[in-house]
Amino acid sequence: MSLSPPTTHPQAVAARISTRDLARAAWASSLGSALEYYDFALYSLASALVFSPLFFPGNNPATGLVLSFGTYFLGFAIRPLGGIIFGRLGDRLGRKFVLLTTVLLMGGASTLIGVLPTYNGSAADWYGTGAGILAPILLIVLRLMQGLGAGAEMAGASILMTEYAPARRRGFVASLPFLGVQMGTVAAALVYFLLLNTNQAIKITDTWLWRVPFLASVVILGVAIYIRLRLKESPTFAKLERHEQVTERPLRTLINRSGKTVLLGIGLRMAENGGSSIYQALAIAYVSSAAIGMKGPIGALSLVFAAAVGAAVVPLAGWLTDKYGRVRTYRAFAIFQLIAAFPIWYALSFGDTVLTIFVVSIGLGVGTWGMFGAQSALMCELFGSRQRYLGVSVAREGSAVIAGGIAPLIGAWLMSLAVTAEGGSAVHGAGTGAWLPIAGYLALLTAITVAATFAVPETKGRSLEDPRDAIHEEHAAQLQGS
């Protein structure tokens, strides 16, 4: 039997992607996403619940919370730099190389947080004596390492699956790595839920138990590295490399050709990234604060239920983009979040357990993660083949600073003002609590995204090998039609 000569026809390339290759890519992407969002949810929960007394003692609780969320923000602030560094490498050296590097950075940093000395130390701390100012400095360094790795991780995962996926099911298949978000969020929330219920008489910050969730990162890290080492390069990049079409200066190419596309990508993510941080970090701190006064692991439990809802909504949103279009689906979930913002935050202000779990599940699980599921194929299809990794990374992480990282910091400051104004008393319902400005901030971010959807062309079905951005392709089609 004779063998056919090598071919570079797109259909032939697609044919060489077996079901096993597709499944391996899905697992490689999902586990990396799980690790990133395990770290994300873990750090947000720790910022809200344990970092203040461990690393920023001597301050009143409100100030300590602001400082704790300040380190949370730094991880977002450095993500655009990570996106630029690893995005350039992803467009020059390939998707697989970068995905291995980023998962090592994120997982290694998270594991090391679990062995950090604290500020004062305690009998339960294996270092015996505290490290003083060195403790928060080391925490910040490791948070920056997390941010550098995360700056290109989700971009790489979504690009890999989008470039692997068959065109007619691209939206659904590309959404599968985002199930890792739910996996990571549930894992982090369950760990904290169990720890907070281990012994109600002992505070978690008085024991070594707060370290366990961070040390557990090494398990996900090991599995993710094993799978990614066996992963094939994406078909689109392999073809670019074979034809020597890989750009040597992806950043310059991005600036010259894709500036408008990057801005549109940032606009699209304002609602999703901002909503994710606001619900996962700020809402948990809000219901646990003196303003509301809820006790126990209600925040962690809310994230478990929200992630369960999100696990169903994410692939559904991807499927809807294949059926009704990327932009229309994305806009629908954004409008839902906009409409729900004020009712949800008003409901949170009552401090009711069942109501809190329900509204966080709806706000995060349906609104925010619905956009997440619709986003993967849309963002990748917006950019041309030669600057796709860098473009998606910069657009994702630019919004992460503006919308995601700073939201809990601003919200914590607003809460401290509200509690001070009320003399530390609880503020429920339609009182003068912090729920109204927080809801207004979320609505503003979401309105920006809704507006951006009207400036983005529909990308469903476009060729991923086209070096032009979608807006340039649409413009060329309009000129040809006229």
Side-chain angles (χ1 to χ4, degrees), residues 10 41 66 129 188 227 245 292 341 352 440:
V66 171
T129 58
I227 294 179
Q245 294 176 334
I292 302 301
D352 180 82

Side-chain angles (χ1 to χ4, degrees), residues 2 7 28 42 70 83 143 160 268 284 364 376 387 406 408 417 427 440:
S2 62
T7 177
L42 193 62
R143 178 60 176 163
L160 186 75
L268 287 173
I284 306 310
L364 180 59
S376 186
Q387 65 275 7
I406 203 170
L417 293 180
V427 182

Side-chain angles (χ1 to χ4, degrees), residues 83-85 87-89 91-92 246-260 262 383 386-388 390-391 394 467 469 472:
I84 292 172
I85 293 172
R88 290 178 72 246
L89 293 174
D91 284 324
R92 292 183 60 193
V246 176
T247 179
E248 291 299 315
R249 296 180 176 86
L251 183 57
R252 181 182 298 178
T253 303
L254 183 74
I255 294 172
N256 292 337
R257 298 181 183 177
S258 301
K260 183 178 179 181
V262 169
F383 290 91
R386 298 184 187 182
Q387 65 275 7
R388 179 169 295 131
L390 181 59
V394 172
D469 289 354
H472 300 145

Side-chain angles (χ1 to χ4, degrees), residues 153-461:
E153 169 61 35
M154 280 304 296
S158 63
I159 289 169
L160 186 75
M161 284 310 298
T162 301
E163 293 181 344
Y164 257 87
R168 61 185 178 82
R169 301 178 61 222
R170 188 181 293 158
F172 172 75
V173 173
S175 72
L176 296 181
F178 287 63
L179 288 175
V181 174
Q182 281 70 50
M183 292 164 54
T185 302
V186 167
L190 281 176
V191 168
Y192 258 95
F193 176 76
L194 293 173
L195 290 181
L196 290 171
N197 275 293
T198 300
N199 191 336
Q200 293 290 347
I202 302 176
K203 293 169 61 177
I204 188 174
T205 51
D206 292 336
T207 74
W208 54 268
L209 289 175
W210 71 269
R211 302 178 181 277
V212 173
F214 291 98
L215 295 173
S217 297
V218 74
V219 177
I220 307 175
L221 173 63
V223 177
I225 290 174
Y226 173 75
I227 294 179
R228 288 186 176 185
L229 283 171
R230 305 177 66 196
L231 187 67
K232 291 182 179 179
E233 186 54 81
S234 87
T236 300
F237 184 82
K239 184 175 181 181
L240 286 173
E241 194 173 38
R242 206 163 42 242
H243 288 274
E244 298 183 350
Q245 294 176 334
V246 176
T247 179
E248 291 299 315
R249 296 180 176 86
L251 183 57
R252 181 182 298 178
T253 303
L254 183 74
I255 294 172
N256 292 337
R257 298 181 183 177
S258 301
K260 183 178 179 181
T261 306
V262 169
L263 290 176
L264 288 173
I266 290 174
L268 287 173
R269 290 207 70 221
M270 296 296 279
E272 174 266 312
N273 195 262
S276 184
S277 285
I278 286 171
Y279 284 121
Q280 291 197 60
L282 187 55
I284 306 310
Y286 177 62
V287 298
S288 304
S289 69
I292 302 301
M294 295 184 70
K295 304 297 183 183
I298 182 62
L301 191 60
S302 297
L303 289 186
V304 171
F305 279 89
V309 173
V313 170
V314 164
L316 174 63
W319 177 82
L320 289 172
T321 69
D322 287 328
K323 187 173 180 63
Y324 298 107
R326 319 286 192 229
V327 177
R328 185 184 301 178
T329 303
Y330 200 90
R331 183 185 300 137
F333 282 108
I335 291 174
F336 175 85
Q337 179 167 285
L338 179 62
I339 294 172
F342 286 94
I344 284 175
W345 276 88
Y346 176 73
L348 288 175
S349 71
F350 282 92
D352 180 82
T353 299
V354 175
L355 188 58
T356 295
I357 293 173
F358 176 75
V359 296
V360 171
S361 298
I362 295 299
L364 180 59
V366 178
T368 302
W369 283 337
M371 284 181 281
F372 215 42
Q375 180 188 112
S376 186
L378 172 60
M379 289 285 285
C380 296
E381 291 168 341
L382 281 175
F383 290 91
S385 58
R386 298 184 187 182
Q387 65 275 7
R388 179 169 295 131
Y389 204 134
L390 181 59
V392 174
S393 297
V394 172
R396 283 183 57 84
E397 305 316 327
S399 66
V401 176
I402 302 169
I406 203 170
L409 187 60
I410 293 175
W413 175 68
L414 291 172
M415 282 191 292
S416 69
L417 293 180
V419 172
T420 301
E422 294 295 320
S425 61
V427 182
H428 299 289
T432 58
W435 75 268
L436 187 59
I438 297 172
Y441 180 54
L442 177 60
L444 174 62
L445 295 176
T446 309
I448 293 172
T449 290
V450 173
T453 62
F454 288 98
V456 173
E458 178 55 56
T459 63
K460 176 186 171 183

